[in-house]
Amino acid sequence: MTKQITLPEDVNALLQTLNDGGYEAYIVGGCVRDSILGRIPQDWDITTSALPEQTKALFSHTFDTGIQHGTITIVLNKTNYEITTYRIDGDYADGRHPDEVSFTSNLEEDLLRRDFTMNAIAYHPAEGFRDPFGGQEDISRSLIRGVGEPAKRFQEDALRMLRCVRFAAQLGFQVDDATYTALQENAALIEKISVERIHEELDKLWKSPFPEKLSLLLSSGLLPHIDGLLDKRLTALGETLVPQLKAAPVSAPLRWTLVLQSFTEAEAKTFCKKLKFDNATAKQIQTYLRHLSQPIPQTPYEVRKLAGILGVELTENLFILQEILQDKAAVQTAREILAKVLADGDCLNLKMLEMDGKALMDAGIPAGKAVGETLGLLLEDVLHEPEHNKREYLLEKALKLQQK
Ligand code: ATP
Ligand code: MG
């Protein structure tokens, strides 16, 4: 088992400052778990016996980010560190948040409020690990186990159930039997959790290295309480989704498009609205779904037209999705054409057209609808014949079209 954790200098300095002030302080939670696993922690959280005001008095730059829960943020060398006072969470009447939190001077009481044994380990460079629930042992067995009585813990905060599935997928861990049974029995409680939190956890699940843990989402009974249609479609897709997710880059729009692959564009729009996706991601998913229902472009004209509509980046992403879901050979052809079209600098859209509305009007085409229509026809011509993208040719053609 890991004997010690190498802390960044700044984290050591923070612990030292708190200790010098006469308080206990440990690193805790995700950073301890990830360090034991040999993974690079995303952030370093500190738990301390100092009350928030006492912590603030020790540091010059602090923010009250979550002071009602005892959390102070310290900025050191442009990095944020969260320092939280040892805390006991009160009753959870709403299944989401404790009604009240109270502070304690006992580290083990703080560890007791945490969700899983692997997340309830504290560490101090001079003292080593404080691990009252066997978190290190569980990590060594790749096991997610609730702290205390899992059913009670899920009833307190239903988000923990989805965190459980997400951690399984991020770490490739198994879920302990009793914890899994409690999850199944309490799955319906996920309805109490805000869509934003659900979205965030699902996002992490799809982007995780072990998307096969999607099986936990399906077998636990959580999904019907998140979204009925998603449950139906994912159940129908079953295991086929897993290698598809693994083949895609770790990108929210791409991975979500795979998850929503059997949704119509309209269904995806409704779903994204319900789960409060940001507009850009929702739009991208809908765009990919729309184009996935159309043939893969196989001629230079079709490729130019597509790249003109989507832009190069989204076209390349669409090719990735088509390669995963549809026809590898056809995508290979499309990619080769795109490479040539780009290398040749072919005109793809109105911006690249050697003609504009003002020049057309100067040449006598009446302002209004005719200008836009003419530009559209000229672009169509150039998409077929890139060498037609010359001012004289286009002007002549515009005037001819005008005479018709
Ligand atoms: P990540 O790598 O996703 O940040 P993490 O374990 O650090 O994982 P955070 O959400 O950053 O997760 O929370 C930090 C710590 O706070 C957790 O390790 C856990 O000890 C505790 N914690 C977070 N959310 C909950 C919760 N819903 N219930 C109980 N404890 C929680
Ligand atoms: Mg964290």
Side-chain angles (χ1 to χ4, degrees):
M1 236 176 257
T2 312
K3 286 272 177 329
Q4 64 181 51
I5 295 175
T6 308
L7 305 189
E9 225 171 277
D10 285 345
V11 176
N12 268 320
L14 290 171
L15 294 178
Q16 193 64 52
T17 304
L18 286 158
N19 292 158
D20 290 347
Y23 309 108
E24 294 177 10
Y26 297 84
I27 57 164
V28 72
C31 61
V32 178
R33 177 199 69 222
D34 288 343
S35 297
I36 293 172
L37 282 166
R39 299 161 65 100
I40 296 167
Q42 290 174 8
D43 35 39
W44 296 84
D45 294 333
I46 291 173
T47 187
T48 180
S49 60
L51 294 169
E53 293 304 325
Q54 294 170 326
T55 300
K56 277 165 76 172
L58 292 174
F59 299 96
S60 49
H61 289 95
T62 67
F63 293 97
D64 293 357
T65 31
I67 195 153
Q68 68 281 20
H69 298 115
T71 302
I72 302 291
T73 301
I74 312 271
V75 189
L76 207 57
N77 295 321
K78 297 191 183 147
T79 305
N80 286 9
Y81 298 93
E82 290 197 343
I83 302 187
T84 305
T85 304
Y86 295 166
R87 192 177 96 190
I88 299 172
D89 293 343
D91 291 339
Y92 285 74
D94 64 358
R96 279 187 291 179
H97 316 100
D99 302 340
E100 53 178 15
V101 305
S102 50
F103 299 128
T104 166
S105 55
N106 183 341
L107 170 68
E108 295 207 1
E109 286 184 328
D110 177 86
L111 296 176
L112 196 58
R113 74 170 169 89
R114 296 176 183 272
D115 48 4
F116 304 109
T117 60
M118 64 181 185
N119 290 342
I121 311 170
Y123 177 84
H124 186 283
E127 273 182 57
F129 292 95
R130 296 283 297 269
D131 179 14
F133 313 112
Q136 293 170 93
E137 171 84 30
D138 285 342
I139 290 173
S140 74
R141 292 188 297 166
S142 302
L143 201 62
I144 302 178
R145 192 158 57 90
V147 170
E149 199 188 310
K152 182 164 167 272
R153 306 311 309 285
F154 291 152
Q155 286 153 17
E156 287 173 349
D157 177 0
L159 183 68
R160 291 169 186 158
M161 296 187 287
L162 209 45
R163 280 171 62 87
C164 178
V165 175
R166 179 262 286 192
F167 281 126
Q170 284 183 326
L171 307 173
F173 277 24
Q174 304 291 321
V175 180
D176 156 74
D177 286 346
T179 302
Y180 183 67
T181 304
L183 205 163
Q184 283 184 310
E185 287 173 1
N186 291 281
L189 295 178
I190 199 68
E191 290 182 15
K192 292 177 182 254
I193 300 302
S194 74
V195 289
E196 288 90 342
R197 304 300 292 274
I198 290 178
H199 178 185
E200 205 179 308
E201 293 300 325
L202 290 180
D203 223 62
K204 290 181 181 173
L205 175 57
W206 308 137
K207 293 200 270 189
S208 75
F210 301 96
E212 53 270 36
K213 299 292 177 178
L214 136 78
S215 62
L216 286 172
L217 195 64
L218 294 173
S219 62
S220 62
L222 281 171
L223 212 43
H225 299 287
I226 292 173
D227 184 80
L229 188 61
L230 184 65
D231 178 51
K232 223 165 79 187
R233 300 286 164 81
L234 285 188
T235 305
L237 278 178
E239 292 296 303
T240 54
L241 180 59
V242 174
Q244 294 171 347
L245 286 171
K246 285 188 177 179
V250 183
S251 128
L254 291 183
R255 297 234 168 157
W256 271 108
T257 303
L258 293 172
V259 170
L260 302 178
Q261 61 184 269
S262 27
F263 279 53
T264 65
E265 201 184 327
E267 286 168 342
K269 187 173 178 185
T270 307
F271 178 84
C272 289
K273 212 168 184 164
K274 175 176 164 186
L275 259 75
K276 300 211 172 140
F277 280 61
D278 65 88
N279 267 340
T281 305
K283 277 254 150 64
Q284 239 185 93
I285 295 169
Q286 289 164 53
T287 301
Y288 295 141
L289 287 175
R290 182 181 332 129
H291 287 277
L292 281 169
S293 68
Q294 293 161 17
I296 300 169
Q298 293 293 281
T299 67
Y301 164 74
E302 288 167 354
V303 170
R304 289 183 202 112
K305 182 140 183 152
L306 181 70
I309 294 169
L310 295 189
V312 175
E313 192 188 332
L314 265 65
T315 302
E316 283 169 346
N317 286 343
L318 177 65
F319 288 169
I320 292 173
L321 292 168
Q322 288 170 324
E323 184 176 42
I324 293 171
L325 294 172
Q326 299 172 344
D327 183 342
K328 231 179 155 124
V331 170
Q332 177 64 18
T333 304
R335 282 207 176 106
E336 281 163 16
I337 298 172
L338 180 65
K340 178 158 191 326
V341 158
L342 293 177
D344 291 349
D346 291 355
C347 167
L348 306 174
N349 52 35
L350 286 178
K351 243 197 221 141
M352 297 170 83
L353 193 68
E354 290 292 337
M355 183 53 57
D356 55 50
K358 183 172 177 304
L360 287 182
M361 288 185 284
D362 288 348
I365 293 183
K369 224 172 79 192
V371 174
E373 280 172 4
T374 307
L375 285 173
L377 290 168
L378 296 180
L379 177 63
E380 267 302 298
D381 180 343
V382 168
L383 289 174
H384 282 286
E385 301 293 343
E387 61 278 15
H388 286 177
N389 194 22
K390 296 201 175 67
R391 227 175 154 76
E392 318 81 77
Y393 170 89
L394 294 171
L395 205 54
E396 199 176 311
K397 170 139 186 173
L399 293 172
K400 264 192 213 144
L401 285 166
Q402 182 63 17
Q403 285 155 13
K404 277 191 188 161

